[in-house]
């Protein structure tokens, strides 16, 4: 029995090595997706991200661009991006094309679609959701699955820059940070006898809705053509297409990377 199983494994490994995922039979696709070594994929991407961090620290921005190019064209990074959008809470929420990636075949086909050449972002689906404790509603724009995966791919290349250049005591939209970290920091500041007795709370009015596209294009260190397509995709509401001349859509993966201060 063991010998028979090992022969099956050898045959499958041969198929994986010699057959492109896009050309596999459906049974092989399912087995291929379910046996992907995700730790190996994460390790490869993490090594590139570490190299990006070191290049940022050395202010070698030409090397940063080259490493980002390697990362967004990496098959491992594309696998991780598709996995992210097919396993998060929005995995069953479709965009304007009503397309979802549920099967192994659809996921593998999606990986092969994540290419810079010929890429065009589709308009977002606009819905309005209630604000907590308020009667007014806030807009939420939902990209199609492919655009979400593309944003996730470029997010992998932006995160190491954001984490290297952002303020060490900022907690919003930061990877592996939460409100609890902010509460802990405030407690340490306010628990002393000499601590301040007043706290100033501020809010940027309509930050996401009115942020300048030209500012983002001039300051976000990523492929400008791709970023422009993300920003200028427009949105559809009640079967009508509206242009986006300012602001960043709340609902995409890259929105959190728009706000941290970037070094140049």
């Amino acid at each position: 029995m063991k010998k028979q199983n090992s022969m099956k494994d050898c045959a499958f490994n041969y198929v994986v090595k010699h057959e492109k995922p896009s050309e596999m039979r459906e049974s092989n696709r399912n087995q291929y997706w379910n046996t992907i070594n995700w730790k190996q994929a994460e390790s490869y991407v993490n090594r590139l991200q570490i190299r990006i961090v070191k290049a940022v620290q050395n202010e070698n921005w030409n090397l940063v661009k080259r490493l980002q190019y390697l990362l967004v064209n990496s098959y491992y990074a594309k696998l991780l991006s598709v996995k992210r959008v097919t396993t998060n809470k929005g995995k069953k929420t479709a965009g304007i094309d009503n397309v979802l990636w549920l099967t192994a075949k659809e996921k593998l086909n999606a990986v092969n679609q994540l290419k810079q050449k010929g890429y065009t972002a589709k308009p977002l689906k606009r819905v309005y959701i209630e604000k907590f404790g308020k009667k007014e509603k806030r807009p939420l724009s939902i990209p199609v699955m492919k655009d979400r995966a593309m944003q996730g791919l470029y997010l992998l290349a932006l995160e190491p820059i954001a984490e290297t250049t952002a303020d060490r005591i900022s907690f919003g939209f930061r990877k592996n940070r939460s409100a609890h970290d902010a509460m802990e920091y405030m407690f340490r500041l306010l628990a002393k006898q000499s601590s301040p007795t007043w706290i100033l709370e501020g809010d940027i009015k309509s930050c996401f809705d009115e942020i300048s596209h030209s500012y983002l294009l001039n300051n976000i260190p990523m492929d400008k053509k791709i970023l422009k397509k993300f920003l200028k995709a427009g949105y559809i509401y009640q079967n009508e297409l509206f242009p986006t001349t300012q602001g960043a859509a709340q609902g995409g993966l890259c929105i959190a990377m728009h706000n941290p201060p970037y070094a140049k």
Side-chain angles (χ1 to χ4, degrees):
M1 187 69 178
K2 287 183 180 179
K3 186 176 181 180
Q4 187 178 0
N5 287 337
S6 64
M7 289 176 65
K8 286 183 179 179
D9 291 340
C10 289
F12 173 66
N13 289 334
Y14 180 85
V15 169
V16 170
K17 289 178 182 178
H18 294 81
E19 193 174 6
K20 294 180 181 179
S22 58
E23 298 172 353
M24 288 181 182
R25 294 190 299 271
E26 189 147 357
S27 59
N28 289 337
R29 290 172 191 265
N30 291 328
Q31 196 173 357
Y32 177 79
W33 184 263
N34 295 330
T35 56
I36 290 171
N37 189 333
W38 294 109
K39 286 186 178 180
Q40 184 178 342
E42 289 168 1
S43 177
Y44 177 84
V45 170
N46 184 248
R47 287 198 301 272
L48 276 178
Q49 289 178 322
I50 290 172
R51 292 178 65 189
I52 291 172
V53 168
K54 291 179 179 178
V56 172
Q57 290 172 337
N58 294 327
E59 298 186 358
N60 189 344
W61 294 100
N62 288 328
L63 179 58
V64 169
K65 287 182 180 179
R66 292 199 296 272
L67 292 171
Q68 283 185 310
Y69 180 83
L70 284 177
L71 199 155
V72 298
N73 285 281
S74 158
Y75 191 72
Y76 279 139
K78 293 177 182 181
L79 283 171
L80 290 173
S81 299
V82 171
K83 182 188 178 186
R84 177 171 183 169
V85 300
T86 56
T87 55
N88 62 14
K89 290 182 180 179
K91 63 183 179 181
K92 292 185 179 179
T93 303
I96 59 166
D97 58 0
N98 293 319
V99 171
L100 294 174
W101 298 336
L102 302 176
T103 67
K105 177 181 178 181
E106 290 166 342
K107 293 171 186 176
L108 284 173
N109 286 341
V111 171
N112 295 321
Q113 291 173 22
L114 301 184
K115 299 175 182 178
Q116 293 172 291
K117 188 175 181 180
Y119 171 72
T120 301
K122 290 186 177 180
L124 299 94
K125 181 167 70 175
R126 173 64 60 91
V127 296
Y128 287 85
I129 59 175
E130 293 183 359
K131 286 186 176 181
F132 181 75
K134 296 182 180 180
K135 291 184 179 180
E136 62 179 310
K137 295 184 177 181
R138 68 180 180 90
L140 184 69
S141 299
I142 304 170
V144 298
M145 294 293 286
K146 181 179 177 180
D147 292 339
R148 274 178 257 177
M150 281 293 284
Q151 289 183 20
L153 183 61
Y154 281 87
L155 186 60
L156 290 172
L158 279 175
E159 278 178 339
I161 304 175
E163 288 302 309
T164 307
T165 59
D167 194 304
R168 66 180 182 83
I169 56 172
S170 67
F171 301 97
F173 304 113
R174 297 289 298 280
K175 189 175 182 180
N176 299 324
R177 293 194 179 195
S178 68
H180 297 292
D181 296 306
M183 291 166 64
E184 179 192 5
Y185 181 75
M186 290 182 67
F187 176 80
R188 286 192 278 112
L189 283 180
L190 301 172
K192 304 171 186 177
Q193 288 186 344
S194 59
S195 296
T197 56
W198 290 90
I199 298 174
L200 178 64
E201 180 184 3
D203 185 24
I204 302 174
K205 184 179 179 181
S206 303
C207 175
F208 290 122
D209 296 331
E210 297 181 7
I211 192 167
S212 165
H213 283 184
S214 60
Y215 174 83
L216 295 176
L217 289 166
N218 290 333
N219 290 276
I220 302 297
M222 65 169 281
D223 188 307
K224 305 303 179 186
K225 291 181 180 178
I226 298 294
L227 178 57
K228 189 173 183 179
K229 288 177 180 180
F230 288 160
L231 295 173
K232 303 293 186 182
Y235 66 90
I236 290 178
Y237 180 63
Q238 294 182 341
N239 296 321
E240 187 175 352
L241 176 63
F242 296 87
T244 46
T245 57
Q246 63 178 9
Q250 298 186 57
L253 292 178
C254 267
I255 188 168
M257 291 295 102
H258 293 160
N259 291 326
Y262 291 100
K264 278 196 170 182

